[in-house]
Amino acid sequence: EGSQISGPKFDLKFELAVLDELGGPGRCEVHVFDHRAALEPGLLPSQLPHGLIVHPWSIEGDHDRLKGRRTHLTLSETLEKLGHKGRTIDLFKVDCESCEWTQYADWLNVDADLKQILVELHGTPRLATNIFEMLRVAGYVIFHKEVDVQYGGMWVEYGFLKLHQDFFDK
C-alpha cells in the first residue's frame, strides 16, 4: 500500500496512488488545488512527497470570477501562474461540490490539452445534458460512470477520455 496523507478536509490517497503508479517523482507531477490547504497541518511542502504539489487556491470558472474571491483562480489563470500553458495535462480531476456546472465550458477553452477528465457531478441542473454534449463535440467519450450510492445517487463520478477526431469521423 502506498503512502497516505489525509486530514479533516483532505484525503490524498488517489493522488498519491497516481504518483506511485506513474513512476513517482521525476516522472510526473500531481497538483492539488484547494483554498483550504493553507489551513491544514500536514500539507506543508516539506511534508509532501516530491511530485505532489498542493496549491492554496481553488479553481473557479470564468462565470464565477466576478465574485472577486482572492482564494480562487480560473483554470487559465492557474495554467499561466504555473507556466503550464500549452502543455498536455494527462489527468484532470475535478471534485468541487457543484462548481463543475459553471466551469466545464472553461475546461475546453484553455491553452492546454486535457487528455482525461475525471469529474464528480453533484445534482442535476436543468441544462445538465449540455456538459455531455460539449465534451462529445470536443472529442471526449465516457469511459467510466459510477453512482455514489452513499448519498442516494445524487452524485455521479464520470471519466471522460479525449480521442482523436478520426474516431468520430468513421
Side-chain angles (χ1 to χ4, degrees), residues 56-126:
W57 68 87
S58 292
I59 306 289
E60 69 181 354
D62 286 335
H63 173 81
D64 297 318
R65 246 182 127 232
L66 299 176
K67 293 178 181 177
R69 297 182 289 197
R70 298 178 53 143
T71 57
H72 292 64
L73 296 175
T74 66
L75 182 55
S76 289
E77 291 168 331
T78 296
L79 292 170
E80 177 80 32
K81 182 175 181 118
L82 298 177
H84 289 184
K85 282 188 138 191
R87 288 181 61 177
T88 295
I89 312 269
D90 293 309
L91 177 61
F92 180 66
K93 180 178 177 266
V94 180
D95 183 0
C96 57
E97 312 307 324
S98 296
C99 76
E100 64 276 3
W101 298 111
T102 60
Q103 286 188 19
Y104 68 86
D106 300 338
W107 307 337
L108 305 175
N109 294 307
V110 294
D111 186 9
D113 186 15
L114 307 178
K115 293 294 188 186
Q116 192 176 146
I117 298 173
L118 304 181
V119 61
E120 184 169 68
L121 299 178
H122 300 84
T124 310
R126 190 171 53 87

Side-chain angles (χ1 to χ4, degrees), residues 9-66:
K9 298 179 190 96
F10 294 91
D11 178 353
L12 299 175
K13 287 183 230 147
F14 174 83
E15 290 79 2
L16 289 165
V18 167
L19 189 63
D20 288 342
E21 184 69 26
L22 296 179
R27 302 218 12 125
C28 74
E29 296 174 351
V30 176
H31 295 261
V32 176
F33 303 92
D34 195 313
H35 65 279
R36 302 167 301 169
L39 305 174
E40 186 69 28
L43 292 181
L44 297 172
S46 62
Q47 297 169 303
L48 299 173
H50 181 68
L52 178 63
I53 303 117
V54 177
H55 302 279
W57 68 87
S58 292
I59 306 289
E60 69 181 354
D62 286 335
H63 173 81
D64 297 318
R65 246 182 127 232
L66 299 176

